[in-house]
Amino acid sequence: KAISLAQLNSHTDALTYFDKALTIGSNSIDALYHKGRSLTSIGKHDDALTMFNQVLDRKENHYLALFNKGLVFENIGKYDDATLAFDQILQKNGNHIDAMFHKGLMLNKLEKFTAAISNFDHLLEVEPNHVLSLTHKAVSLAHLDMIKDALLYYDKALELEPNNLDALYNKTITLVKIGKHADALRQIQHVHCISPQYRDTLYYMG
């Protein structure tokens, strides 16, 4: 019942039932894990980390708990800790797509752009059409002023998903950076048509 409530975004009610389940069986890995997910959803990050750590104390290779622990660190800006969590997954499962992708995002946040590119390259060897990896490899390249290559990767991403907001938005930023304001305006207008409230599109539309 708690999991059903959580799926309906009724996380406060779900937590009541998770606590009841844990009163009956304090070592229930599923209850601890899903309680952590609900706590994350309502912004109780420290409590969520406690739950995920309790799961990992009982089952070291619980990849979902470790991945969600990484996501909590990512969400609260602890990028080194997030990278460590994703690395722990990759040490055991080197082709874990989600862990690779989020590790790449963290390396970009830490301004380790060359390492991020290597990370995305590894992912793209496993899954060549991973649109968000193509996009964020382009972000890494743009930060290294490799603009021609960055635009090439944005275009690869957009060939696969022409309405991908992340690719369109980040391509806009790169076009502004090199002074191609007319092209940037066309990109951001496309974003605005798809999702008028997406990030700071109105700022780039002037």
Side-chain angles (χ1 to χ4, degrees), residues 26-42:
S26 61
N27 287 323
S28 171
I29 288 175
D30 282 347
L32 290 167
Y33 168 69
H34 286 287
K35 182 179 177 181
R37 292 285 305 275
S38 283
L39 288 164
T40 301
S41 296
I42 60 174

Side-chain angles (χ1 to χ4, degrees), residues 5-35:
L5 287 165
Q7 289 171 341
L8 293 170
N9 292 321
S10 298
H11 294 291
T12 302
D13 291 336
L15 288 168
T16 300
Y17 282 95
F18 286 132
D19 286 339
K20 287 181 179 179
L22 289 167
T23 301
I24 298 166
S26 61
N27 287 323
S28 171
I29 288 175
D30 282 347
L32 290 167
Y33 168 69
H34 286 287
K35 182 179 177 181

Side-chain angles (χ1 to χ4, degrees), residues 25-125:
S26 61
N27 287 323
S28 171
I29 288 175
D30 282 347
L32 290 167
Y33 168 69
H34 286 287
K35 182 179 177 181
R37 292 285 305 275
S38 283
L39 288 164
T40 301
S41 296
I42 60 174
K44 293 191 173 183
H45 300 299
D46 289 340
D47 291 339
L49 288 171
T50 298
M51 292 301 105
F52 295 136
N53 283 331
Q54 287 185 26
V55 172
L56 293 164
D57 286 342
R58 291 160 175 77
K59 187 176 179 182
E60 183 180 355
N61 291 336
H62 195 293
Y63 291 150
L64 285 173
L66 193 50
F67 180 70
N68 279 274
K69 180 179 175 179
L71 291 181
V72 172
F73 284 132
E74 179 178 332
N75 289 335
I76 63 177
K78 292 188 175 182
Y79 302 132
D80 283 313
D81 289 331
T83 303
L84 179 60
F86 299 135
D87 266 335
Q88 286 177 305
I89 296 172
L90 292 168
Q91 285 167 9
K92 298 163 185 172
N93 180 0
N95 291 334
H96 190 289
I97 296 295
D98 288 338
M100 272 194 283
F101 173 65
H102 282 272
K103 179 183 175 180
L105 293 182
M106 296 305 92
L107 291 169
N108 270 348
K109 290 287 189 182
L110 293 165
E111 299 185 0
K112 298 179 179 180
F113 302 118
T114 302
I117 289 168
S118 296
N119 182 83
F120 290 128
D121 280 342
H122 182 192
L123 194 161
L124 290 165
E125 287 175 7

Side-chain angles (χ1 to χ4, degrees), residues 118-155:
S118 296
N119 182 83
F120 290 128
D121 280 342
H122 182 192
L123 194 161
L124 290 165
E125 287 175 7
V126 179
E127 193 170 315
N129 293 335
H130 193 277
V131 171
L132 289 177
S133 289
L134 291 166
T135 297
H136 287 277
K137 178 177 177 179
V139 171
S140 308
L141 290 163
H143 278 292
L144 294 173
D145 292 325
M146 300 173 69
I147 302 300
K148 183 177 179 181
D149 290 335
L151 292 173
L152 176 65
Y153 275 90
Y154 287 131
D155 288 343

